[in-house]
Amino acid sequence: MTQQSTGKGPLTGLTVIEFAGIGPGPFAAMLFADMGATVIRIERKSAVRRPLSLLSLGPFDVTSRGKLSVGLDIKRPEGRNAALRLIEQADALIEGFRPGVMERLGLGPDVCLARNSKLVYGRMTGWGQDGPLAHAAGHDITYIALSGALHAIGAPEQPLPPLNLVGDFGGGAMMLAWGMMAALWEAQRSGQGQVVDAAMTDGAAYLMTMIYGVKAAGLWSNQRGANLLDGGAFFYGAYECSDGKFIAIGPIEPQFYHLFLEKMGIDDPDFAIHYDPTTWRRQREKLAPIFRTRTRDEWCALLEGTDACAAPVLDMDEAPQHPHNVARGVFTIVDDVVQPTPAPHLSRTPAVMPAPPPEPGADTEKVLSLWGFDAVEIEALREAGAIE
């Protein structure tokens, strides 16, 4: 069952040009599209059909949902000029190439802002537009390594990458979108656009702000697995149940902890104090076998929905079916693809429900026509090899 876009989101009327890439750039553009902006994704003229992989998801590329796709050869003068005509009419632009690539293509900030002085030009990189590492290759894991975030996550003996959520999407895409929205707000008053230089390593460090503050207060150790929120505390972690599934607990505050003990039927005096790190290992060793006496669902029937702060550790098949997620509409199905719905929820101008991702280049002629190209100009672009 396909759920098509309905209603208008709060960013209706905003136009964003996205230069196709992978990871955080497309996700940031998706955030704009989900909130109602018109996002025009400029693809290579002939997007190569590769086998399904993390780099080529085809109809499963849900970060392209709700966008328009234009196939342009921007290495040709005709394609570059067509892109500039679209940019002239846009509010914002997103690109995720290495520093200097857009300049070499003739589509750098100076050129684009000269054409459109109110343009917000969003740049998504790993290391940023300058600095000693600016031109080096990298991935999420290397960007968060430099920020201090990777060192703080994982088992005591080894850091563990938390998927690519901290660098690509949290420190990258979310910070890019936030910076662009700030610049768009300012442009409404000043009439002037600007460049937003979003680096994943900068953003990952930014996400660590509270942890750096806690460490400065002497309440956080550089040793992994020894702190309140990194799995060190026995009352903040996941425990295996009798069926091999896991339950997560986090009763940090005293009143929640006391309720947790009550619900668990624990009256061992060894659990009376829970803020002493020197006792955490012993308390974990005592708590673990208790959780192994029942299944995950049995523990959830006892603990979930109470102030004991517990929840089942759901896999990606289970999460969309959980009653709370169903009630909140956290997931939807678009062309048989299960995917998260836009967040957060707005009361008056809710986000647009996702539409399927377009085929690469599917909207080329429609977009060019709507943005002022006549039939003769479109045919000239085709003859020049700038479009299919």
Side-chain angles (χ1 to χ4, degrees):
M1 176 181 179
T2 297
Q3 297 186 17
Q4 296 292 344
S5 301
T6 58
K8 294 183 178 180
L11 297 184
T12 297
L14 189 78
T15 301
V16 180
I17 304 296
E18 174 201 353
F19 284 85
I22 59 172
F27 188 84
M30 183 198 77
L31 297 178
F32 283 94
D34 282 350
M35 288 297 170
T38 297
V39 177
I40 300 171
R41 180 177 167 93
I42 296 181
E43 308 266 6
R44 287 174 299 169
K45 185 185 69 172
S46 299
V48 178
R49 287 298 182 187
R50 292 175 291 184
L52 285 180
S53 70
L54 287 176
L55 302 181
S56 179
L57 291 172
F60 305 103
D61 180 15
V62 296
T63 62
S64 289
R65 66 191 189 189
K67 302 176 183 177
L68 298 169
S69 178
V70 173
L72 279 179
D73 185 349
I74 56 175
K75 292 185 178 180
R76 294 178 182 269
E78 298 85 356
R80 181 179 65 248
N81 289 333
L84 284 169
R85 281 181 61 178
L86 296 177
I87 292 167
E88 285 176 355
Q89 303 171 68
D91 300 290
L93 177 154
I94 292 174
E95 65 93 0
F97 301 116
R98 290 200 208 188
V101 171
M102 287 292 278
E103 284 83 353
R104 290 195 293 274
L105 290 169
L107 295 168
D110 291 346
V111 172
C112 293
L113 284 164
R115 295 285 194 103
N116 181 353
S117 63
K118 290 185 66 175
L119 183 73
V120 170
Y121 194 110
R123 316 198 79 169
M124 183 75 264
T125 60
W127 308 111
Q129 295 297 312
D130 52 33
L133 298 176
H135 293 275
H139 279 296
D140 183 290
I141 191 170
T142 54
Y143 307 139
I144 70 172
L146 207 69
S147 72
L150 181 59
H151 181 275
I153 301 170
E157 63 273 10
Q158 184 177 356
L160 180 68
L163 303 182
N164 61 331
L165 300 178
V166 176
D168 280 355
F169 301 120
M174 298 293 285
M175 294 302 174
L176 174 61
W178 163 238
M180 291 180 66
M181 288 305 299
L184 285 162
W185 171 256
E186 193 278 337
Q188 288 184 351
R189 302 192 303 280
S190 69
Q192 297 297 309
Q194 59 183 302
V195 176
V196 179
D197 175 6
M200 289 174 239
T201 194
D202 297 355
Y206 199 14
L207 293 175
M208 290 283 289
T209 299
M210 187 192 82
I211 304 301
Y212 271 101
V214 173
K215 182 179 179 298
L219 300 174
W220 191 276
S221 166
N222 266 331
Q223 181 182 347
R224 280 182 306 280
N227 299 287
L228 178 64
L229 304 177
D230 66 354
F234 75 97
F235 53 89
Y236 196 88
Y239 286 86
E240 186 176 12
C241 304
S242 64
D243 55 358
K245 298 180 179 180
F246 287 80
I247 187 169
I249 63 168
I252 297 175
E253 295 82 357
Q255 68 274 25
F256 300 157
Y257 178 69
H258 293 148
L259 178 62
F260 168 77
L261 294 181
E262 178 185 324
K263 291 279 187 182
M264 295 287 292
I266 296 174
D267 57 7
D268 186 339
D270 204 19
F271 286 92
I273 299 175
H274 70 304
Y275 281 157
D276 182 0
T278 65
T279 66
W280 286 351
R281 175 174 292 186
R282 182 175 73 250
Q283 289 164 315
R284 180 181 295 278
E285 290 173 350
K286 284 190 172 185
L287 186 58
I290 296 176
F291 273 110
R292 287 196 291 268
T293 63
R294 301 187 190 185
T295 67
R296 183 194 68 186
D297 291 347
E298 288 173 335
W299 284 119
C300 285
L302 181 68
L303 301 172
E304 193 178 12
T306 75
D307 285 353
C309 300
V313 178
L314 303 176
D315 64 31
M316 291 171 64
D317 292 323
E318 295 174 309
Q321 307 302 323
H322 189 277
H324 184 80
N325 291 336
V326 171
R328 294 276 298 172
V330 176
F331 294 89
T332 190
I333 301 174
V334 180
D335 279 2
D336 298 323
V337 178
V338 176
Q339 56 195 272
T341 53
H345 296 182
L346 279 68
S347 65
R348 187 172 55 81
T349 56
V352 178
M353 288 303 294
E359 290 286 333
D363 306 297
T364 301
E365 290 195 30
K366 178 176 75 173
V367 168
L368 292 177
S369 179
L370 288 173
W371 265 260
F373 290 76
D374 60 33
V376 174
E377 290 174 314
I378 292 173
E379 183 58 30
L381 286 170
R382 183 175 290 107
E383 290 179 356
I387 64 172
E388 287 290 352

